[in-house]
Amino acid sequence: METLTVESDDDGSRLEVHSFRPAVLTTANGGNSGGNSAANSTSAEGDPAPATAPGVVVIHGTLVTDALYRPFARNLSLLLSRPVHCYNRRGRGRSAQQPDDYSVQTEIRDLAAVMKATGSEDVVAHSYGGFVALQAAREMPLRRLVTYDAAVSLSGNLNHRWRPELEQAVTEGQLNHAWAHLVQGLATAGPLSYLPLGALRMLSIMSARTNVGAEMRELLPTAVKEMRAVLDADAELADFTGLATPTLMLSGGWSPGYFAQTGRQLATAVPAIDFAVVPGQLHEGPIRPGKRLAIRIARFLNGTDGSITPLSRKRRRR
């Protein structure tokens, strides 16, 4: 794994990026993380090294850092034989803090900076990251895009999942109470999401003793801004009809149903979007052990999964 720092184009803020490269590229580069240096190098066997393939950027969800996605990024890099880069969005790790005027545009500019710096053309995004990626695809060129449980608000369908008590609890420093409201509102924790608030607060206290649980509590303030960004960017189906990037929206078979509902709606209305359910997968699919999801995504990025392209879909409609 390589670690590099990328500066955002708008305000020069720092973004922490972690990169994974297949062994053949790493060998050809001699361990150098410098972009296209492999294009003019030679492999250990003396044969000309392959030109560096365009990279893939992974965008993580809310209440987590990119650390949980590194095994997934490594698997995807091996499957694709291409570099895969995951980065800490603002408010995490060594990346800059969220600015006072934070919005989805902040995230789009950061994504553009990471893609430019890493020579990437494809994006894979999870949950809130899927929201960022779909909004970005409306404004900037992407070769291919895969989202998993993208948190997109259509015609106000996520309004009722916002809990004002969450923001109030964060402001007052009542993080266990805030966590309970977040889990109940988003329903992304499986059956646990439907426990009473008191039980969820106890779970929060217990989970805070683990590294992941403690980290989630620390990231609750970022979740407030991110949930507001989703609601502020509420859109209609017509807003996505101009999207030209071939896009695969996936949802876990055991994920909350509203993710699949949004994916189906967008796939029906937008020729460039396909949708599929991945059986047996929870909302946290990309950070769970196993390669099945990575294989499914790699096939789409390679164009070998038989998905309907925008052109072929148009022909079928004639």
Side-chain angles (χ1 to χ4, degrees), residues 14 16 26-27 40 88 170 183 202 239 281 292 317:
R14 182 175 58 186
E16 183 183 27
T26 303
T27 302
N40 299 313
N88 272 320
V170 169
V183 170
M202 288 302 300
D239 295 325
Q281 291 285 335
R292 188 173 64 164
R317 288 176 176 176

Side-chain angles (χ1 to χ4, degrees), residues 106-124:
T106 308
E107 297 285 1
I108 291 173
R109 291 191 293 267
D110 288 352
L111 172 61
V114 172
M115 293 186 71
K116 179 180 178 181
T118 59
S120 297
E121 297 180 357
D122 296 337
V123 173
V124 177

Side-chain angles (χ1 to χ4, degrees), residues 179 183-184 189-196 200 203:
W179 186 86
V183 170
Q184 268 199 352
L192 295 179
S193 304
Y194 304 101
L195 291 174
L200 287 172
L203 283 176

Side-chain angles (χ1 to χ4, degrees), residues 69-91:
Y69 294 77
R70 293 175 196 170
F72 170 79
R74 184 182 295 108
N75 286 336
L76 195 58
S77 177
L78 293 172
L79 290 165
L80 292 170
S81 295
R82 293 165 59 188
V84 176
H85 315 275
C86 49
Y87 68 102
N88 272 320
R89 294 192 292 99
R90 298 201 187 206

Side-chain angles (χ1 to χ4, degrees), residues 6-16 59-66 87-111 113-114 128 219 221-223 225-226:
V6 171
E7 289 189 358
S8 181
D9 292 337
D10 59 337
D11 60 2
S13 293
R14 182 175 58 186
L15 299 167
E16 183 183 27
I59 314 177
H60 66 74
T62 196
L63 276 192
V64 291
T65 70
D66 80 332
Y87 68 102
N88 272 320
R89 294 192 292 99
R90 298 201 187 206
R92 297 154 173 86
R94 296 182 179 178
S95 293
Q97 296 300 306
Q98 292 175 329
D100 292 337
D101 61 348
Y102 173 85
S103 71
V104 69
Q105 289 300 321
T106 308
E107 297 285 1
I108 291 173
R109 291 191 293 267
D110 288 352
L111 172 61
V114 172
Y128 182 81
L219 292 172
T222 67
K225 288 187 175 182
E226 289 166 7

